[in-house]
Structure formats: structure tokens, C-alpha cells
Amino acid sequence: MGRPIRTRRQATLASLAAELGVSRTTVSNAYNRPDQLSPELRKRVLDTARQLGYPGPDPVARSLRTRKAGAIGLLLTENLSYAFRDPAALGVLEGLALACEDAGVGVQLVPARPGEEDVATVHRAGVDGFVVYSVPDDDPHLNAVLQRPVPTVIIDQPVLSGVDRVGPDDAAAMTTLAYHLIELGHREVGVLCMRLARDRNDGFAARERQEKAHYHVQRTRLTTLAESFEAVGVDWSTVPVVERFEHTLDEGASAARQMLDANPQVTAIICTSDILALGALNEVRRRGLRVPADITITGFDGISDAERAELTTVYQPVREKGRSAGNLLLDPTRRGQGNPVNQQVITLETELRIGKTSAPPRTAEQHWFGP
Amino acid sequence: MGRPIRTRRQATLASLAAELGVSRTTVSNAYNRPDQLSPELRKRVLDTARQLGYPGPDPVARSLRTRKAGAIGLLLTENLSYAFRDPAALGVLEGLALACEDAGVGVQLVPARPGEEDVATVHRAGVDGFVVYSVPDDDPHLNAVLQRPVPTVIIDQPVLSGVDRVGPDDAAAMTTLAYHLIELGHREVGVLCMRLARDRNDGFAARERQEKAHYHVQRTRLTTLAESFEAVGVDWSTVPVVERFEHTLDEGASAARQMLDANPQVTAIICTSDILALGALNEVRRRGLRVPADITITGFDGISDAERAELTTVYQPVREKGRSAGNLLLDPTRRGQGNPVNQQVITLETELRIGKTSAPPRTAEQHWFGP
DNA sequence: ACTAGGAACCGTAACGGTTCAGAACATGTT
DNA sequence: AACATGTTCTGAACCGTTACGGTTCCTAGT
């Protein structure tokens, strides 16, 4: 299993050609177009290459000339330790990886720390395109990506005109969920949501903060909820919305605690993610409340843990999101990238999945006949 | 949020320099060494760049010149859909990603399908090094990686002389586990193991297959078990070993079924992974057997699900594996890569974690005083 | 007035390939 | 014999950048 011995300097295509007394073109052809030279010569080239320890054409030099890096970049402005734990993010990554694998293209995780303002890593990434997954509107890394002259697909957020996007119709999905709760009779609701901006605000989020949220998805979900509930006479200004910066079960639980301590009257807690909902479920049960008899809890995403917990939630096909984004980026028919007219928006189907965590409020009767 | 308008052809550093009437060096310096030119000129360069839609130095050309790609490749010869589900693999990936993130280096997932013999993707990957995670001895992609003139670190398997390796001491770890069972009194044991070669063999694996396994880790674990049990008088040829190609809970369950149908006498099922063990646990309980009263089950890896199930297992720090591999690869002090004398082998600590799935066999007494 | 030293900028030579339009020669066709 | 058709190989241009080793100019010190 001996590796080739490296003498002095690495052999190059040129030195190999010189050694063989043939042109560089011929050596290149030996590797890339076997039909362009006689089998005997090809064998001689490859044998000599082995003997000289020439490892084959340098990928970077090749990329420079062919203008193909053979990889796409994934921008994910989140702590990686988090990204690899969140089932939704993982599903996206998996789908993307599968699509790229099919095309024989690599996926490069571009290092981009949340707070980091240095976008050099984005500029240095030798990739043929970018997939951006769920970043805030004002993310500096996203800006750097858009500067690059390569195609870009954004998953979920932000929604930008002129840039391809793959994601669900959050507004429609949330409306469906809202009306499920409205029809059950809920009017006193509370909301737990994920971070709304890059600054930390673990606590109640006033209406202005909701509407100015830098995370498009959260903003849409919240404003849609507001519209739906206001349509049936609920004053949204009175609806408590608790925000959390980190997205974990524990934070979901603590958010639920904060919510219920201040608003014991709520009959339903609407969470903008399953993780938060599952955390809330833990807290609510810890308090001795029965779900859904005493309180309704809903999630969003449809991760497998939610299914196991029979959570009422909105399912979205995360793996498909990643796969579609990959396919869109790699689609050879639309290499006319950068053409804003040609923008593609893929909207994925969502599905309201009614589990066992939603039911009419205890005082439902009085609502069923109107407020 | 308008992207720069692309006229005719992309601007280059040279065209920008020409436009400005300065040398290319100066433009390059404007981006890479701000201290090498006056702030005024630098501003003029950057402004003109923006105006011309020059996106900054091309990463690939830069990589060619600097001989740094700014990314490392991860070779993982396994279906990605699996890799992203297996907690152990995920932990490694996370650790690796963290180490690389710290260094501002990207991680590129190199597409390499299990059955695929075409190793072009390995040759085409523009990376500064490779991390190879748990592949068989005879993996063609691994061979292609070793051909490349970049440093390589192998995690777990195979163990090759001259190539850096990060992994646990499987033999020592398995010996400890074996003696735990031996001391409890188990002599009638059965084993469930992961695939032993690239060909599929879902069923019993004869001793020869065990010893010739192409997966170093599995081979070591099995031969170590054999040695330990033979040391106390067990004839290993009579010990049933069931192999599974796929590594899932369901396969663990079916393997356990196959094992127990043919060998109802076994008092302990030793599994070479937690996933298999958890699957076996499901099957055993389905049969109405109590664990550990009726039968002992052990795993290997120490994933969080195992902890939750209070499985007796060998814990190994998967995240650390990934992180160490990354650090080793990126270690600037040993850029003398390819020097076989300089080989590094990092052996990680493991820990026997005795849970509630191991206990003396029902007929233990007769063994305690010898066979 | 002379010079040392630093700041600002530049010219050249790689970096290691791929590509395309032909050249050279052999073979088949009419 | 003239011409079309392949096959095999080559020369030169090009991909976009940075490393290296300068040169030029200005200022301060003596």
C-alpha cells in the first residue's frame, strides 16, 4: 500500500509530457479523452505517470481552465453544532447532498459563524453556486454570496426578488393551522417563536418587533397568525408572543414557562417550530396540565419526533427542500444564471397534521356560536 | 438589493487594473494587503471594482497560485442518507466541521457512492487534504485519495501504516467489555455485527469471514472477542455471529431474531454497535424476554439513544474523533505531510458504561466457579 | 548636500492545466 | 491519380491570480 515516493518536486503534466517526449495536450487527453490517442500511447503515458508519481491533473488548475469547481457551497449562518442537531436542518442537508451526489458534485460547508462579520470565507470558496439556508435578511454573508457571479438558491429565507427560492408557502400553511385552532374555538392564544433578529431577545416580542423581524419565515408566520386571528375579532396586540434566540427543547420549555406564568388564561400555545412545541409540551405536562384537554399545543415542521409525540403541526418536506434546491442550482438548462427575469420560485406543499395535542378549549361552547 | 449588472464579460483583476491605469499587483494588494498601498488608491480601486461589477479575486485562480484551496475533503463511502442518520457518523461530522470552522476552512463532502468504482470525484476535488471516515480496506476511493499529494487522516478504519489515524483502541475496548461479560458469567454468547465486506451477506458469518473482514474495526472487535472468550475456554467456532449489511434498528432486530431462532441458548448478545443493540433490544422484548434478567445485551459507541435506553456499551467520543482529525490535518506545524516517518496516530479514550442491560445469566452460579 | 530607510507601486514569471484549430500521415473512394 | 475521410498528435493561446524581487520617490537624519 506504498504511496508514491515524492522526489524533489511534484511532477506536473508538463514535466510528464517532457519526459515522454509528447505534447501536454496528449497527456491531458490520456486522462480526459481516451479516444483522442492510441491505446498504446495512452498506456505508456499512464505507466510513466505512475512511475513518476504524477497524481493526475491538478483539480484546481483544471477548475480554473474549465470554470467548473465541481462543488457547490452551503451557507448556513448558524452554529454548526446546532445545525447538525436540528432535524429540519439535517433533512435539508441530506436532500441537498443527495441531489449533488446524483450529479457527482460536492457540497462544501462554508464556514460562517453567526456573529462573524468577516465574509472572506465566502469569497474564498471555490464553488459553482451557493445554497443559502435560512438566514436573516441582513446577513452579511448572504450579501457576499450575492456578490459572487455564481447562481444562488435560497431555501426558506430570506425571500428576495431576483434570487431563486425554495420553500413552503408559510402564509398559507400558517393560515390553515390558525383556522384549525379558530374552528376549535380558541381565542385566547399565545405564541412561541424563534429568534426574530440577530440581536438576542429572550422574552416577549412586541408587535413592532414581530413586524420588523429580520427572519422572513418567522415574520410571515407571525403576521399571518395576526391576520387570521384579527379576522375573528382577536386583538393581536393582546396576544403574548415569546421569543427565543436558541432553538432547543429546553428553550421551548422555558419560553412556555414564561408565557404561562404571565398568561395563565391562554387555551392554546402556537409554536413556530416543532422543537419549541415539544419543549413546551414538556413544560406544560410538568405543570400537571393535560394536553389537549387543558391546553392545546401546536408546532411547525413535521419532524419525526413530532410525529412520535402526535403533535398537531404543519408538515413540510424538508428533504425535498434540500433536493429541489440542489436540482435547481445544478439544472443545466438554466445556466443563464444571474438573469433576474428567469427567477425560479419553488413552493413546496405543506400539510396540516392534526395530532393529539389540539382540541377545543374547555370553554369552547361559548365561542362556537360567535364571540 | 440589486445584483451588479453583468455586461458582456466578467471583469477581471487585469481589466480592472487596466481601467485604473495601475498594475495588477496593486489591485491584488487592494484586496489582500491593504497596507501595501495608500488608502486613497485602495478606495479608488474598490470603488471602480464595484462600478465595473468586479466581484473580487477569483477563488479558483487564487487557489492555484497560493496552492491553498481553503477546504478539506471528507470521504465517507456510505449512502449519505444513512450517514446523516447515524448518530456516530453525525458526531464525527460535527466535530470535524467545528475544527474546520475554527480554522476558517471549508469541509467538502466528496460524492462517493458505496458501489461506485469511478473515483473521478476524488481526483476532481479541490481540497487541501482529506479526512476518510470508516471505509473498507479495499475501497477504491480511499486508494484514489492516497494517490493525491495532500495530507490524509483516516478515522477509525482502515488502519494503514504511514497514514495518520484517529480512533479508539478497539481491541482494548472490546476486551474490557468481553471481560465484563465473562465476569458476569456468560459463556453462551452470540454476536451481531455490521457488514464485514463490500459484498452483502445478511446472515451468519463463519469464522473465516470474520477474520478476513475488510472492515478493520469489525474485524478487530470480532477477533478480540474471540480471543477473550477462548481464553476462558469458549470454542469460538461455536459462537454464532450474525452479520448485517445495513445498519439500522430494524436490521438489528431482524439479526437478533435470526440469532435467537437458531440459538435460543445464548445468554448474552454482544452487538458491535449501539444501533444494532437497540434494535436487538426491541426484538428481544417483543419476544417477552426480560433484559437483563433473561438475556444480556451490549452495544458499542455510546450514542445518546443508548444512554437513554441505559444500554451497557463502550462509549467513545465521536465528536472528538472528528475534531482531532480536523486539527491533525490542519496542524500547521506538520506541513511536512507525506512523510511516512512522521506518522501520527491518535488513540482516543473509551469507557465501558455499564447500564441496565447486562447482568449475570440465569445459570450463572455454575460458571462462577469455572467452566 | 548626501544618504539611509521606508512607503508606494510595478513587471515578470509562474501556478498547472484545457482547448481548438490544424498538421502529418494513413486509408478508403471514385 | 485525385480527393475525401479518419486517426493521432501538436503548438499556442488562455484561465485569473499571487509571489517575488525589484524600482521610484519622499522624508528625515547628519
Coordinates of all heavy atoms in Angstrom, one line a residue, chain A residues 63-114:
Chain A
S63 N -9.9 23.3 -12.7 CA -11.1 24.2 -12.4 C -11.0 25.6 -13.0 O -11.9 26.2 -13.5 CB -11.4 24.3 -10.9 OG -11.8 23.0 -10.4
L64 N -9.8 26.1 -12.9 CA -9.5 27.4 -13.4 C -9.8 27.5 -14.9 O -10.5 28.4 -15.4 CB -8.1 27.8 -13.1 CG -7.6 29.2 -13.7 CD1 -8.5 30.3 -13.2 CD2 -6.2 29.5 -13.5
R65 N -9.3 26.5 -15.6 CA -9.5 26.5 -17.0 C -10.9 26.2 -17.4 O -11.5 26.8 -18.3 CB -8.5 25.5 -17.6 CG -8.5 25.3 -19.1 CD -8.1 26.6 -19.8 NE -9.1 27.0 -20.7 CZ -8.8 27.5 -21.9 NH1 -7.6 27.6 -22.3 NH2 -9.8 27.9 -22.7
T66 N -11.5 25.2 -16.8 CA -12.8 24.7 -17.2 C -13.9 25.6 -16.6 O -15.1 25.5 -17.0 CB -13.1 23.3 -16.8 OG1 -13.0 23.2 -15.4 CG2 -12.0 22.3 -17.5
R67 N -13.6 26.4 -15.7 CA -14.5 27.2 -15.0 C -15.6 26.4 -14.3 O -16.8 26.7 -14.4 CB -15.1 28.2 -16.0 CG -14.1 28.9 -16.8 CD -14.5 30.1 -17.6 NE -14.9 31.2 -16.8 CZ -14.1 31.8 -15.9 NH1 -12.9 31.4 -15.8 NH2 -14.5 32.8 -15.2
K68 N -15.2 25.3 -13.8 CA -16.1 24.4 -13.0 C -15.4 23.9 -11.8 O -14.3 23.3 -11.9 CB -16.5 23.2 -13.9 CG -17.5 23.4 -14.9 CD -18.9 23.3 -14.5 CE -19.9 24.3 -15.1 NZ -19.8 25.7 -14.5
A69 N -15.9 24.2 -10.7 CA -15.2 23.7 -9.5 C -15.7 22.3 -9.0 O -15.0 21.6 -8.3 CB -15.5 24.7 -8.3
G70 N -16.8 21.9 -9.5 CA -17.3 20.6 -9.1 C -17.8 20.5 -7.7 O -17.9 19.4 -7.1
A71 N -18.2 21.7 -7.2 CA -18.8 21.7 -5.9 C -19.7 22.9 -5.7 O -19.5 23.9 -6.4 CB -17.7 21.7 -4.8
I72 N -20.6 22.8 -4.8 CA -21.5 23.9 -4.5 C -21.3 24.2 -3.0 O -20.9 23.4 -2.2 CB -22.9 23.7 -4.9 CG1 -23.5 22.6 -4.0 CG2 -23.1 23.4 -6.3 CD1 -24.9 22.8 -3.7
G73 N -21.5 25.5 -2.7 CA -21.3 25.9 -1.3 C -22.7 25.9 -0.6 O -23.7 26.2 -1.2
L74 N -22.6 25.6 0.7 CA -23.8 25.7 1.5 C -23.5 26.7 2.6 O -22.6 26.6 3.4 CB -24.1 24.3 2.1 CG -25.3 24.4 3.2 CD1 -26.6 24.8 2.5 CD2 -25.5 23.0 3.8
L75 N -24.3 27.7 2.6 CA -24.2 28.8 3.6 C -25.3 28.6 4.6 O -26.5 28.5 4.2 CB -24.3 30.2 2.9 CG -24.1 31.3 3.9 CD1 -22.7 31.4 4.4 CD2 -24.5 32.6 3.3
L76 N -24.9 28.6 5.8 CA -25.8 28.2 6.9 C -25.3 29.0 8.1 O -24.4 28.6 8.8 CB -25.6 26.7 7.1 CG -26.4 25.9 8.0 CD1 -27.6 25.3 7.3 CD2 -25.6 24.8 8.6
T77 N -25.9 30.2 8.3 CA -25.3 31.0 9.3 C -25.8 30.6 10.7 O -26.7 31.3 11.2 CB -25.7 32.5 9.0 OG1 -25.6 32.7 7.6 CG2 -24.8 33.4 9.8
E78 N -25.3 29.6 11.1 CA -25.8 29.1 12.4 C -24.7 28.3 13.0 O -23.8 27.8 12.3 CB -27.0 28.2 12.1 CG -27.8 27.7 13.3 CD -28.1 28.8 14.3 OE1 -27.2 29.0 15.2 OE2 -29.1 29.5 14.2
N79 N -24.6 28.1 14.3 CA -23.6 27.3 14.8 C -23.7 25.9 14.3 O -24.8 25.3 14.3 CB -23.7 27.2 16.4 CG -23.2 28.5 17.0 OD1 -22.1 28.9 16.7 ND2 -24.0 29.1 17.9
L80 N -22.6 25.4 13.8 CA -22.7 24.0 13.2 C -23.2 23.0 14.2 O -23.9 22.1 13.8 CB -21.4 23.6 12.6 CG -21.0 24.4 11.4 CD1 -19.6 24.0 10.9 CD2 -22.0 24.0 10.3
S81 N -22.8 23.2 15.4 CA -23.2 22.2 16.4 C -24.7 22.2 16.5 O -25.3 21.1 16.8 CB -22.6 22.5 17.8 OG -22.8 23.9 18.1
Y82 N -25.3 23.3 16.3 CA -26.7 23.3 16.2 C -27.3 22.7 15.0 O -28.2 21.9 15.0 CB -27.3 24.8 16.4 CG -28.7 24.9 15.9 CD1 -29.7 24.3 16.6 CD2 -28.9 25.5 14.7 CE1 -31.0 24.4 16.1 CE2 -30.2 25.6 14.2 CZ -31.2 25.1 14.9 OH -32.5 25.1 14.4
A83 N -26.7 23.1 13.8 CA -27.2 22.7 12.6 C -27.2 21.2 12.5 O -28.1 20.6 11.8 CB -26.4 23.3 11.4
F84 N -26.3 20.5 13.1 CA -26.2 19.1 13.0 C -27.1 18.4 14.0 O -27.2 17.2 14.0 CB -24.8 18.6 13.2 CG -23.9 18.9 12.0 CD1 -22.7 19.6 12.1 CD2 -24.3 18.5 10.7 CE1 -22.0 19.8 11.0 CE2 -23.6 18.7 9.6 CZ -22.4 19.4 9.7
R85 N -27.8 19.2 14.8 CA -28.7 18.6 15.7 C -30.2 18.8 15.3 O -31.0 18.0 15.6 CB -28.5 19.1 17.1 CG -27.3 18.7 17.8 CD -27.2 19.2 19.2 NE -25.9 19.6 19.5 CZ -24.9 18.8 19.9 NH1 -25.1 17.5 19.9 NH2 -23.7 19.2 20.2
D86 N -30.4 19.9 14.7 CA -31.8 20.2 14.3 C -32.2 19.3 13.2 O -31.7 19.3 12.1 CB -31.8 21.7 13.8 CG -33.2 22.1 13.5 OD1 -34.2 21.7 14.2 OD2 -33.4 22.8 12.5
P87 N -33.3 18.5 13.4 CA -33.7 17.6 12.4 C -34.1 18.3 11.1 O -33.9 17.7 10.0 CB -34.9 16.9 13.0 CG -34.8 17.1 14.5 CD -34.1 18.4 14.6
A88 N -34.7 19.4 11.1 CA -35.1 20.1 9.9 C -33.9 20.5 9.1 O -33.8 20.2 7.9 CB -35.9 21.3 10.2
A89 N -32.9 21.1 9.7 CA -31.7 21.5 9.0 C -31.0 20.2 8.4 O -30.5 20.2 7.3 CB -30.7 22.2 9.9
L90 N -31.0 19.2 9.2 CA -30.3 18.0 8.8 C -31.0 17.4 7.6 O -30.4 16.9 6.7 CB -30.4 17.0 10.0 CG -29.2 16.1 10.2 CD1 -27.9 16.9 10.1 CD2 -29.3 15.6 11.6
G91 N -32.3 17.5 7.6 CA -33.1 17.0 6.4 C -32.7 17.7 5.2 O -32.5 17.1 4.1
V92 N -32.6 19.0 5.3 CA -32.3 19.8 4.2 C -30.9 19.4 3.7 O -30.7 19.3 2.5 CB -32.3 21.3 4.6 CG1 -31.6 22.2 3.5 CG2 -33.7 21.8 4.8
L93 N -30.0 19.3 4.6 CA -28.6 18.9 4.2 C -28.6 17.6 3.5 O -27.9 17.4 2.5 CB -27.7 18.9 5.5 CG -26.3 18.5 5.3 CD1 -25.6 19.4 4.3 CD2 -25.5 18.6 6.6
E94 N -29.3 16.7 4.0 CA -29.4 15.4 3.4 C -29.9 15.4 2.0 O -29.4 14.9 1.1 CB -30.3 14.4 4.3 CG -30.3 13.0 3.7 CD -31.3 12.1 4.5 OE1 -31.5 12.4 5.7 OE2 -31.8 11.2 3.9
G95 N -31.0 16.1 1.8 CA -31.6 16.3 0.5 C -30.7 16.9 -0.5 O -30.5 16.5 -1.6
L96 N -30.0 17.9 0.0 CA -29.1 18.7 -0.9 C -27.9 17.7 -1.3 O -27.5 17.7 -2.4 CB -28.5 19.9 -0.1 CG -27.5 20.7 -0.9 CD1 -28.1 21.3 -2.2 CD2 -26.9 21.8 0.0
A97 N -27.4 17.0 -0.3 CA -26.3 16.1 -0.5 C -26.7 15.0 -1.5 O -25.9 14.7 -2.4 CB -25.8 15.5 0.8
L98 N -27.9 14.6 -1.4 CA -28.3 13.5 -2.4 C -28.4 14.1 -3.8 O -28.0 13.4 -4.7 CB -29.7 13.0 -1.9 CG -29.7 12.1 -0.7 CD1 -31.1 11.8 -0.2 CD2 -28.9 10.8 -1.0
A99 N -29.0 15.2 -3.9 CA -29.1 15.8 -5.3 C -27.7 16.0 -5.9 O -27.5 15.8 -7.0 CB -29.8 17.1 -5.2
C100 N -26.8 16.5 -5.0 CA -25.4 16.8 -5.5 C -24.7 15.4 -5.8 O -24.0 15.4 -6.8 CB -24.7 17.6 -4.5 SG -25.3 19.2 -4.4
E101 N -24.9 14.5 -5.0 CA -24.3 13.2 -5.2 C -24.7 12.6 -6.6 O -23.9 12.1 -7.4 CB -24.7 12.2 -4.1 CG -23.9 11.0 -4.0 CD -24.3 10.1 -2.9 OE1 -25.5 9.7 -2.9 OE2 -23.5 9.8 -2.0
D102 N -26.0 12.8 -6.9 CA -26.5 12.3 -8.2 C -25.8 13.0 -9.3 O -25.6 12.4 -10.4 CB -28.0 12.6 -8.3 CG -28.9 11.6 -7.5 OD1 -28.3 10.6 -7.1 OD2 -30.0 11.9 -7.2
A103 N -25.4 14.2 -9.1 CA -24.8 15.0 -10.2 C -23.3 14.8 -10.1 O -22.5 15.4 -10.9 CB -25.2 16.4 -10.1
G104 N -22.8 14.1 -9.1 CA -21.3 14.0 -9.0 C -20.6 15.2 -8.5 O -19.5 15.5 -8.8
V105 N -21.4 16.1 -7.8 CA -20.9 17.4 -7.4 C -20.8 17.4 -5.9 O -21.6 16.8 -5.2 CB -21.9 18.4 -7.9 CG1 -21.7 19.7 -7.1 CG2 -21.8 18.6 -9.3
G106 N -19.7 18.0 -5.4 CA -19.5 18.0 -3.9 C -20.3 19.1 -3.3 O -20.8 20.1 -3.9
V107 N -20.5 19.0 -2.0 CA -21.1 20.0 -1.2 C -20.1 20.6 -0.2 O -19.6 19.8 0.6 CB -22.3 19.5 -0.4 CG1 -22.9 20.6 0.5 CG2 -23.4 18.9 -1.3
Q108 N -19.9 21.9 -0.3 CA -18.9 22.4 0.7 C -19.6 23.2 1.7 O -20.3 24.2 1.4 CB -17.9 23.3 -0.1 CG -16.8 23.8 0.9 CD -15.7 24.6 0.1 OE1 -15.2 25.6 0.6 NE2 -15.3 24.0 -1.0
L109 N -19.3 22.9 3.0 CA -19.9 23.6 4.1 C -19.0 24.9 4.3 O -17.8 24.8 4.6 CB -19.8 22.8 5.4 CG -21.0 21.9 5.7 CD1 -21.5 21.2 4.4 CD2 -20.6 20.8 6.7
V110 N -19.6 26.0 4.0 CA -18.8 27.2 4.0 C -18.8 27.8 5.5 O -19.9 28.0 6.1 CB -19.4 28.3 3.1 CG1 -18.6 29.6 3.2 CG2 -19.4 27.8 1.7
P111 N -17.6 27.9 6.1 CA -17.6 28.4 7.4 C -18.1 29.8 7.6 O -17.6 30.7 6.9 CB -16.1 28.2 7.8 CG -15.4 28.3 6.6 CD -16.3 27.8 5.5
A112 N -19.1 30.0 8.4 CA -19.7 31.3 8.6 C -20.3 31.3 9.9 O -21.5 30.9 10.1 CB -20.7 31.6 7.5
R113 N -19.6 31.9 10.9 CA -20.1 31.9 12.2 C -21.2 33.0 12.3 O -21.2 34.0 11.6 CB -19.0 32.3 13.2 CG -18.1 31.2 13.5 CD -18.2 30.8 14.9 NE -17.5 29.6 15.2 CZ -16.2 29.4 15.1 NH1 -15.4 30.4 14.7 NH2 -15.6 28.3 15.5
P114 N -22.2 32.8 13.1 CA -23.3 33.7 13.3 C -22.9 35.2 13.5 O -23.2 36.0 12.7 CB -24.0 33.2 14.5 CG -23.7 31.8 14.6 CD -22.4 31.6 14.0

